[in-house]
Structures are given as C-alpha cells and as structure tokens.
Amino acid sequence: MDTQESEGFLLPRSRQANERLHAAIPGGAHTYAKGDDQYPDDLAPVISHGHGAHVWDVDGNRYVEYGSGLRSVSLGHAHPRVVEAVRREVGRGSNFVRPSVVEAEAAERFLATVPTAEMVKFAKNGSDVTTAAVRLARAVTGRARVAICGDHPFYSVDDWFIGTTPMSAGVPAATTDLTVAFPYGDLAATEELLTRYRDEIACLILEPATHTEPPPGYLAGLRELADRHGCVLVFDEMITGFRWSEAGAQGLYGVVPDLSTFGKALGNGCAVSALAGRRDLMEWGGLRHSGDRVFLLSTTHGAETHSLAAAMAVQSTYVEEGVTARLHALGERLAAGVRDVAAGMGVADHVVVRGRASNLVFATLDENRRPSQPYRTLFLRRLLAGGVLAPSFVVSDALSDADIDHTVDVVAQACAVYRKALDAGDPTPWTGGRPVKPVFRRSV
C-alpha cells in the first residue's frame, strides 16, 4: 500500500526481517546509524527497494525518504544516468590486474570538478581516506598527535578516532592519547592547543561546515594557524562535498586545505570515496619522490570501474543540471513549511529545523528545550505512520514539490501530537515503547 494510517501502523514482515538481520549480523545492520535502535519500538522498516525519492519496505509501505543512504544518495535512487554508467562498465569487467583507463578518466574528472586539489586517490569508504590523510600527515610532519574538531560527530571507524568516543572498547589507551580535540569556531582555543603541544600535532582535521556556517574568517584563520605551526590542514568533505558546491566547501568558501576527503554524494550510493590534495604531499604515497614510502591507500576494490563510472556520472549531472542549487531550493521549501506548521501547532521552540538548506536536520526538544530521545521517538513514530522516513530532513534531487508538501502535512500532524505530549508533560503515552537511542553510547 502507498499510505499508512497514523494509528495501528504495523510492520510484521519488517519485524521478522529484523530478527533475521540480528541473527546473522552484529547489530542487525552494517552501519550503526541504520540500526533498529534508531527507530521507535517495532517500527524499523526493512527496505525492499527504492526509486527516486521513495522507498518501499518489505510490508509494502511506501515512504518519502530523507537522508537517503546516510546522505549518500543525493540524486535519488536508481538515477538513470548513474544506472547506465554502472551498467556499461560492469559489462566490460570491473577489476583488473593493472589500472584501467577509467581510473585516469575518473581522476581527471574529479580534479576538474574540485580544482583546488592537485592529485586524488580513490577508495571505498570515508574511513579509508580520512585515516590515509592522518597517516600521510604524520609521515610528512614526523609528528604523532592528531587534532580533531571535537564538535563534529564522526571521522573514521579506525582507532585514532573511535578511541575518543563512548564506544572505545578494544582501542588501546596509548592510541587514544595521541588524539586531542579543538572546538569549532574558536581560533584562540585551537592556537592554545597547538602551543600546548608545540611541534607534536601532525594535522588539524574537521568538517569545514556543519549545521552552522563557519564564523567570518574562521577557515582562513585555521589555514594560517596550520601554516604557522607546521601542521597539515585536512577538510573532511564527506557531507559538504557536492551539497555545499560541486567543489565542496573549499570551493564555496575559498579556503584551500592541504588534504581533503570526499565520499557519500560522490557515488550516489555506489561505494567510492576520495583523498585529494597538494601534489607535494600526495606524492609521498607514490613512486615519484625520493623520501621514505608511505602506505597511503592500497585497496583491491578501490578503483572498481563501475563505481568510478558512477562518480563521473554524478559529477556530470551536478554540473550540467545545477543539482546543488536545486538541493538548496528544496531544502528551503521544506524548512519553511516545517517551521510554519510547528509554529502553528505551538511547538516552534521544540521541533527545530537546523542546518544548511541542502543538509537539514531537526532537533526534538522537551519542555525545558533540552534534546530529548523520547520526544524524537514520538516524532519519528508519527512521521513513519504518515509515510515519511526521515532520520533527518536531508533532501535529494529526486524530491518533488508534492513530496515536500506531503512531508509538511505529516509534520503538522506530528506536531499536533507533540503539543499534546508537552501539555501532558510526558511523551511516554505516544512513544509506543522504548525511546530511540544515540548511536555512540557505552552500553547496549
């Protein structure tokens, strides 16, 4: 069916499929952010298929989907240009004993799209390339410490970052001790950190922008600090790449990092990521320099031709069809609609839309305007019942105005229930069971 009633919404086949997933896969998913603990009790849809901005679960329910593929599917599912590019290369073979000419074509296309970079190397996921950037920075500087922006949620599955999270089990303390943190937007605090660990910090790594714009002069100030203290500046552009501009945040804000990492939108759901940066640094991982060799990236599947073909199709589509501008327009329409209905229902201070229009998230706040997992549960439950699958409000190019209007209507219904819960001082009667949980937590 294509619609769901707000009451009595059941997912029996999805529940059965979730049991199968947990029996065979730790956590029941291959990404923690996709776990059923991120959704209301017994309301975690298991997906059958998707097309454009819609997905169908194994129970036959259709949803308007946001944050598709954890923000990776920005053109919509089964985009025809991407599908055709992948189909063409799969039929010609996907992996060989020597590089394919597609690797050169994909690298040249990427460097033309992101002209602030001079060389690029492809891999399969974001962790591969952020960890490679850290290793390269350590090799180039001869320093061991890594400085991460502590206000940003995720950089890598590898020990240098995971050891700093509540899920640090299995990471040696000696590894974690080599990672220090600085706050976003605070140049003075960052300089104090660099001074405290003088000549010890190999790199500063951060997302150049997130839910707020960088303060005026901030990124340029980081560039100056990195230069003055002799460390490498790394922009994690997993999310900002393409969504901020075709050339990423570095292209939009005009501040060039030494190294940058791309992924997510790069392949429209296909597995491809990129480490890009200055030639003199990147060549440390190559064969045309006189120093010690750096094991930069060496991945069996890093240059599968069909994924690189997908990346080229994505970049062409973005440039030729003005996708970034459309993402912003869709996000602005959605944000305005949600804010209007939240205000109309008297919950504007509790259901809050934040972020750049192309990368919207929502906050669910309690009676004291503090973040609340129970209220998030209530909100997600009502969205799901209305046919909206939205862990965030991150838009894709496949959304139509009708999809946005439908979403706003469902949000209005959710806000009406939210208002009742606020008036009662307790969302529990509307959560339907245990609340959703944060991804990073120490215990199950």
Side-chain angles (χ1 to χ4, degrees), residues 209-411:
T210 53
H211 307 319
T212 59
E213 289 293 290
Y218 174 63
L219 296 179
L222 277 183
R223 174 72 277 171
E224 190 275 330
L225 281 177
D227 290 339
R228 180 149 48 88
H229 287 268
C231 56
V232 175
L233 180 61
V234 183
F235 282 177
D236 178 343
E237 297 241 37
M238 290 297 147
I239 293 172
T240 54
F242 299 96
R243 285 192 179 275
W244 264 240
S245 80
E246 291 85 355
Q250 59 194 277
L252 180 65
Y253 299 125
V255 175
V256 181
D258 299 304
L259 300 171
S260 56
T261 58
F262 288 75
K264 291 195 182 288
L266 181 58
N268 200 52
C270 293
V272 60
S273 61
L275 170 65
R278 285 169 35 194
R279 181 177 300 277
D280 62 317
L281 300 186
M282 295 288 286
E283 280 285 19
W284 280 61
L287 299 174
R288 297 185 175 183
H289 73 103
S290 57
D292 291 340
R293 296 189 69 191
V294 176
F295 196 92
L296 185 58
L297 277 168
S298 184
T299 55
T300 298
H301 301 289
E304 286 174 327
T305 56
H306 54 276
S307 289
L308 296 184
M312 287 190 283
V314 167
Q315 290 166 88
S316 296
T317 302
Y318 262 81
V319 172
E320 294 168 15
E321 299 183 11
V323 171
T324 302
R326 176 166 161 76
L327 293 176
H328 282 87
L330 287 165
E332 287 165 3
R333 180 185 178 100
L334 176 62
V338 170
R339 288 169 181 147
D340 283 348
V341 297
M345 295 295 173
V347 297
D349 293 333
H350 304 276
V351 176
V352 182
V353 180
R354 297 171 174 162
R356 194 172 184 85
S358 60
N359 190 55
L360 295 172
V361 297
F362 57 81
T364 51
L365 310 181
D366 65 13
E367 299 86 349
N368 299 310
R369 300 180 187 176
R370 295 175 301 198
S372 168
Q373 294 298 101
Y375 276 100
R376 179 176 174 85
T377 308
L378 175 158
F379 192 65
L380 288 176
R381 190 174 189 88
R382 307 307 294 194
L383 294 185
L384 286 165
V388 176
L389 181 57
S392 68
F393 281 148
V394 176
V395 297
S396 75
D397 187 54
L399 287 161
S400 66
D401 288 348
D403 292 326
I404 300 290
D405 293 344
H406 171 72
T407 301
V408 171
D409 287 344
V410 172
V411 169

Side-chain angles (χ1 to χ4, degrees), residues 199-212:
D199 299 332
E200 294 183 36
I201 293 177
C203 64
L204 302 172
I205 183 168
L206 73 157
E207 295 180 57
T210 53
H211 307 319
T212 59

